[in-house]
Amino acid sequence: MNNDILNLEQAVEFLRVSEKTLIKLLREENIPARKIGREWRFSKEALINWIASGKSFDYINQTELYKISKDMPGNCTDLFNNIIEDLSKIKENGNNIKYVLEDLDRDIVIPENATLRVSYKQQRDVEKLEFKIFWDLRENLK
């Protein structure tokens, strides 16, 4: 039997990573693999080439230059009230998000022409309801 083609367990052993890590790579990276029926198959040569062609710099998310967040666990009623309170603070302070994210080192004002995205996601063992307001980066910050 030719051992140039690996199943998931063999690829885990070959790459010396956990199965969880390999599954994450399959979801998030462009790892060379083919799903045949319910099983994943990997070419040893393609995996070697994939690793050899990578640059660590490529894996730093260059599109996410700055990130500050806060988590507020609680029951739904409290969470909804927290959202309303935070939005009120932002609105009362000229759309400046620094009033709800205290770790920001500068004022960031949401412009009048922004977009709201509401999305639902299921990723692995977590379900997410996300409210995102986004806008184009101001020219002086590019």
Side-chain angles (χ1 to χ4, degrees), residues 54-95:
K55 296 176 181 73
S56 62
F57 187 76
D58 294 339
Y59 296 98
I60 298 172
N61 189 347
Q62 293 299 307
T63 62
E64 198 167 278
L65 301 174
Y66 196 83
K67 181 180 178 182
I68 291 180
S69 61
K70 66 178 180 179
D71 291 338
M72 297 178 282
N75 65 52
C76 279
T77 301
D78 291 341
L79 295 177
F80 295 148
N81 288 334
N82 287 339
I83 291 169
I84 292 167
E85 288 172 22
D86 280 354
L87 289 173
S88 293
K89 281 183 200 174
I90 292 170
K91 188 176 177 183
E92 290 166 7
N93 290 285
N95 295 344

Side-chain angles (χ1 to χ4, degrees), residues 2-3 12 22 29 33 35 40 46 49 65 72 76 79 88 96-97 99-100 110-111 124 126 132 135 138:
N2 187 343
N3 62 356
V12 162
L22 185 53
E29 301 287 336
K35 195 162 190 182
W40 283 102
N49 291 337
L65 301 174
M72 297 178 282
C76 279
L79 295 177
S88 293
N96 191 339
I97 64 174
Y99 288 89
V100 295
I110 301 171
R124 297 179 210 67
V126 177
K132 293 182 181 181
W135 57 93
R138 293 172 296 268

Side-chain angles (χ1 to χ4, degrees), residues 110-125:
I110 301 171
E112 291 299 319
N113 58 339
T115 302
L116 172 66
R117 176 180 294 154
V118 179
S119 60
Y120 166 80
K121 296 179 184 177
Q122 182 180 356
Q123 293 178 309
R124 297 179 210 67
D125 298 334

Side-chain angles (χ1 to χ4, degrees), residues 35-59:
K35 195 162 190 182
I36 301 173
R38 294 182 181 186
E39 300 289 326
W40 283 102
R41 294 293 183 259
F42 304 84
S43 159
K44 271 188 182 180
E45 182 179 350
L47 289 174
I48 291 168
N49 291 337
W50 174 74
I51 290 171
S53 68
K55 296 176 181 73
S56 62
F57 187 76
D58 294 339
Y59 296 98

Side-chain angles (χ1 to χ4, degrees), residues 111 113-115 134-139 142:
N113 58 339
T115 302
F134 58 95
W135 57 93
D136 290 332
L137 190 61
R138 293 172 296 268
E139 198 60 38
K142 289 184 180 177

